[in-house]
Amino acid sequence: MTILHSIDELKNQFDTDVLNGKPDKDAFEEIKRKYTSRKGKIAELFAQLGSADPDIRPEAGKALNELKEYITIKLDGLSAVVSDNTEVTAADQLDLTLSGDPFPVGSIHPLTKVIEEITTIFTKLGFSLAYGPEIDTDFYNFEALNILKHHPARDMQDTFYVTDDVVLRTHTSNNQIHMMENHDPPIKVIAPGRVYRNEDVSVRSYCLFHQIEGLYVDKNVSMADLKGVLNYFAREFFGKNVKTRFRPSYFPFTEPSAEMDVSCYFCSQNGCNICKYTGWLEILGCGMVDPEVFKSVGYDPDIWSGYAFGMGIERMAMQRYGIEDIRMFYEGDIRFLRQF
Ligand code: DAH
């Protein structure tokens, strides 16, 4: 019998021992000793290797090393399931074909979902995406947007001041200025992000929330372009049957300015406390970029015209998912978040 046969035989013997033995701790130790100790079966064959026929020696060496590895791995697996004096059945042995335990997978936050949905709609219309700073100077958040110091419009937004000159941005409109400062027209961009206001926390307002700013600057841009884009957006986001209306409004950085309302999702315009029995929900402010804003970034208002809009994300997410309390978005309650 050649050493190759002996190796084969040893493997068969080991398999039989392991399968039939149902090893408890003692039996397992015995098997381990029998095969892997210094005077065990494997060592014995290694010792014979030196006197084996030189023609088959390399092959035999390789086979023996493989068998040693095979036995070591098998025994390692088995050592995990043998315990003191308990019998191990075949069923207790590791079954590598079992699928793993499922682990919980998180869900996407509803605000993230809504932001992604909205940005997708606008990118299809050719808008690109930009981000700006959440901590910004008075100039970008107010001054360059034609909200001058001591102007009563500053009262519209209760501001968190970091220093006299630095604020937590109260709206994403600061991005308009950054965009125009850094790029020559034409510009077609949307900029989502967090904004902060020092407001009393309630069902409808929170000290931080999210907005998406839109800005389009080119030659001959008109209010009709603005209405067309926003109506398209409303139908894509809220569904074909949504109604929209534009109300005249005032923002220092747009002239003329408007606010857009959409028909109330909760009551189908029959009147409810969400829309305060008006049948309408206000979702965004918009208008034609004021020439003063163009001047503050060095654009010539005689050449360039543009529109801007800014929408609150929370409002839209509440409308979309029927959420009645804005605070739910920030509490991290897993029962709430799992629903999305
Ligand atoms: N920044 C305004 C706010 O936070 C919203 C807004 C109004 C943005 C009109 C605009 C705009 O770009 O044109 O209330």
Side-chain angles (χ1 to χ4, degrees):
M1 189 162 76
T2 68
I3 189 165
L4 285 171
H5 283 113
S6 309
I7 293 171
D8 260 0
E9 209 155 81
L10 189 63
K11 179 170 187 297
N12 290 338
Q13 203 183 331
F14 173 77
D15 283 342
T16 318
D17 280 353
V18 166
L19 267 186
N20 294 342
K22 293 185 180 175
D24 62 13
K25 179 106 171 150
D26 291 341
F28 172 75
E29 291 302 335
E30 177 51 36
I31 292 175
K32 202 167 157 187
R33 211 171 7 256
K34 178 172 166 189
Y35 290 92
T36 64
S37 69
R38 281 210 294 145
K39 291 192 173 158
K41 297 275 185 193
I42 293 181
E44 216 173 81
L45 283 182
F46 268 115
Q48 289 171 24
L49 202 56
S51 53
D53 179 349
D55 284 348
I56 59 163
R57 209 181 291 154
E59 191 188 341
K62 186 168 174 257
L64 194 52
N65 273 319
E66 281 170 7
L67 177 61
K68 186 180 173 192
E69 196 181 342
Y70 171 78
I71 289 178
T72 312
I73 290 174
K74 262 262 156 92
L75 289 177
D76 268 0
L78 216 53
S79 73
V81 291
V82 276
S83 58
D84 287 333
N85 300 324
T86 33
E87 287 221 325
V88 176
T89 62
D92 291 329
Q93 297 189 18
L94 274 187
D95 179 355
L96 297 178
T97 64
L98 275 180
S99 53
D101 292 332
F103 55 89
V105 178
S107 56
I108 296 179
H109 195 279
L111 291 177
T112 308
K113 271 190 152 168
V114 167
I115 291 173
E116 277 175 5
E117 231 178 283
I118 296 174
T119 50
T120 304
I121 295 171
F122 282 104
T123 47
K124 275 198 271 178
L125 291 172
F127 285 80
S128 50
L129 206 55
Y131 298 91
E134 290 178 24
I135 302 173
D136 215 345
T137 60
D138 189 281
F139 174 78
Y140 290 98
N141 195 80
F142 293 125
E143 204 81 20
L145 287 160
N146 200 29
I147 313 174
L148 306 180
K149 288 218 163 56
H150 312 299
H151 190 289
R154 289 216 180 189
D155 292 346
M156 287 159 71
Q157 303 179 349
D158 294 321
T159 308
F160 286 114
Y161 281 88
V162 179
T163 67
D164 277 352
D165 190 43
V166 177
V167 301
L168 300 189
R169 69 174 174 200
T170 56
H171 51 184
T172 44
S173 303
N174 66 331
N175 290 319
Q176 291 189 28
I177 306 303
H178 288 290
M179 277 309 296
M180 289 192 281
E181 257 190 4
N182 295 329
H183 300 274
D184 289 331
I187 286 180
K188 199 173 185 185
V189 73
I190 48 166
R194 277 189 173 194
V195 304
Y196 302 83
R197 288 192 201 172
N198 190 4
E199 279 176 13
D200 288 340
V201 173
S202 74
V203 176
R204 308 194 98 240
S205 62
Y206 201 68
C207 48
L208 70 91
F209 56 99
H210 297 74
Q211 290 185 333
I212 292 186
E213 192 78 11
L215 175 70
Y216 177 42
V217 182
D218 207 335
K219 288 176 180 154
N220 303 318
V221 180
S222 76
M223 190 95 185
D225 297 327
L226 172 64
K227 287 179 80 172
V229 160
L230 292 179
N231 278 331
Y232 171 84
F233 160 73
R235 282 199 305 276
E236 285 289 299
F237 187 78
F238 294 111
K240 291 272 172 288
N241 296 327
V242 75
K243 284 185 230 154
T244 57
R245 73 174 184 190
F246 289 80
R247 283 178 292 105
S249 185
Y250 171 76
F251 300 101
F253 37 94
T254 43
E255 180 59 36
S257 304
E259 278 169 288
M260 185 172 99
D261 300 339
V262 293
S263 46
C264 180
Y265 149 94
F266 292 96
C267 63
S268 308
Q269 296 201 297
N270 292 319
C272 68
N273 60 353
I274 307 285
C275 63
K276 296 190 184 133
Y277 297 91
T278 61
W280 296 97
L281 287 167
E282 176 196 321
I283 59 159
L284 60 81
C286 60
M288 302 307 293
V289 179
D290 193 291
E292 288 304 316
V293 176
F294 282 145
K295 281 186 210 157
S296 72
V297 295
Y299 282 13
D300 183 346
D302 290 332
I303 300 175
W304 302 106
S305 50
Y307 62 68
F309 55 86
M311 58 182 89
I313 303 302
E314 276 75 356
R315 288 260 177 95
M316 282 195 281
M318 289 166 87
Q319 159 112 330
R320 156 63 58 88
Y321 297 115
I323 297 164
E324 296 188 11
D325 187 337
I326 196 171
R327 292 169 294 195
M328 300 296 293
F329 290 121
Y330 307 103
E331 283 165 352
D333 187 329
I334 203 85
R335 295 164 302 177
F336 169 73
L337 295 173
R338 275 211 185 109
Q339 298 174 57
F340 301 96

